[in-house]
Amino acid sequence: MDRRGAAHAEPAAPAVGAGAREWHADPYAAALRTGRGPLFLRRGDGWLLPLEVERWCAPPDEADATVLARCRGGVLDVGCGPGRLVAALAARGHPVLGIDVSRHAVERAVREGGAALCRSVFDPLPGTGRWATLLLIDGNIGIGGDPAALLARARELAAPDGTVLVETAGTELDERVVVRVDDGRGGHGTPFPWARLGTRALLAHGGRAGWRAVEQWRVGGRRFVQLRRG
């Protein structure tokens, strides 16, 4: 099926920057409390994307370590979730802030030892224009359902020589969808816009937003790109 056609068949999406309510949904909160799934993003046609709750709630893995090693200076973790990367960076002595629209995620991130705020990336944020490194890991290039807008916002947040570390999809795609959080047992949140990008699509969107690629790498089936302000 043409993914663009599937996306167009979905209900109207909230505007970019909306999104706090759906990540407060009970299935997501329950998964964060227990540190376990199952949890999915469900599209209106029944398509499911499994969410790796167990990995998010565990200490950083080998692939995460490659991201942590590339962080420089002050780090803003966009969509920090339960805070494994924020806590690890704080332990390494980085000035670091996590942001997430889920209060439950932020509370867990703080308990893990990180600093985090319950904010959207499109809200006013501390350190705007001064962050040396931004993180868009665990599929968070999808935030807001508009990668071009997200990368433009990242450019506003980054320092003049700042970088953004992005995790891309495992296949080459450029997809806009409307999804909801679903626990596979009948519990679900409200619909919200999301996106998925492969590496080629990220490079195209990044170039138009004023970013240039400086490195690409893979670890354990996960793919990453480092972008620097052009």
Side-chain angles (χ1 to χ4, degrees), residues 14-15 20 36 43 60 72 81 83 117 121 149 160-161 172 203 214 229-230:
R36 298 191 303 274
R43 198 165 62 190
R72 298 290 182 268
L117 295 175
V121 65
D161 60 348
E172 292 299 344
L203 297 180
V214 295
R229 286 186 59 158

Side-chain angles (χ1 to χ4, degrees), residues 69-137:
R70 288 167 171 80
C71 291
R72 298 290 182 268
V75 182
L76 181 67
D77 186 355
V78 179
C80 67
R84 75 186 189 284
L85 300 181
V86 174
L89 287 164
R92 294 179 178 210
H94 280 274
V96 56
L97 177 67
I99 58 169
D100 202 289
V101 296
S102 166
R103 174 176 56 83
H104 306 285
V106 168
E107 289 172 352
R108 180 158 181 156
V110 171
R111 288 197 303 271
E112 292 294 321
L117 295 175
C118 191
R119 303 271 180 90
S120 164
V121 65
F122 298 101
D123 290 339
L125 293 172
T128 294
R130 301 194 301 274
W131 293 103
T133 307
L134 278 74
L135 301 182
L136 288 167
I137 305 302

Side-chain angles (χ1 to χ4, degrees), residues 27-37 39 51-61 64 79-85 87 102 104-109 111-112 138 222:
Y28 186 57
L32 290 183
R33 282 195 299 271
T34 63
R36 298 191 303 274
L39 199 67
L51 299 178
E52 298 182 82
V53 176
E54 291 85 354
R55 180 172 64 79
W56 298 348
C57 292
D61 63 14
D64 294 329
C80 67
R84 75 186 189 284
L85 300 181
S102 166
H104 306 285
V106 168
E107 289 172 352
R108 180 158 181 156
R111 288 197 303 271
E112 292 294 321
D138 299 328
R222 296 170 65 191

Side-chain angles (χ1 to χ4, degrees), residues 151-212:
L151 289 165
R153 176 58 172 154
R155 187 173 169 84
E156 294 174 351
L157 293 166
D161 60 348
T163 65
V164 56
L165 305 177
V166 184
E167 183 169 358
T168 59
T171 57
E172 292 299 344
L173 49 78
D174 189 353
E175 179 179 76
R176 311 291 181 279
V177 291
V178 175
V179 295
R180 60 176 65 193
V181 178
D182 190 302
D183 65 8
R185 301 182 294 271
H188 57 77
T190 56
F192 61 98
W194 197 250
R196 293 197 301 153
L197 296 187
T199 299
R200 285 200 296 267
L202 173 68
L203 297 180
H205 286 291
R208 288 191 289 269
W211 296 96
R212 59 183 176 85

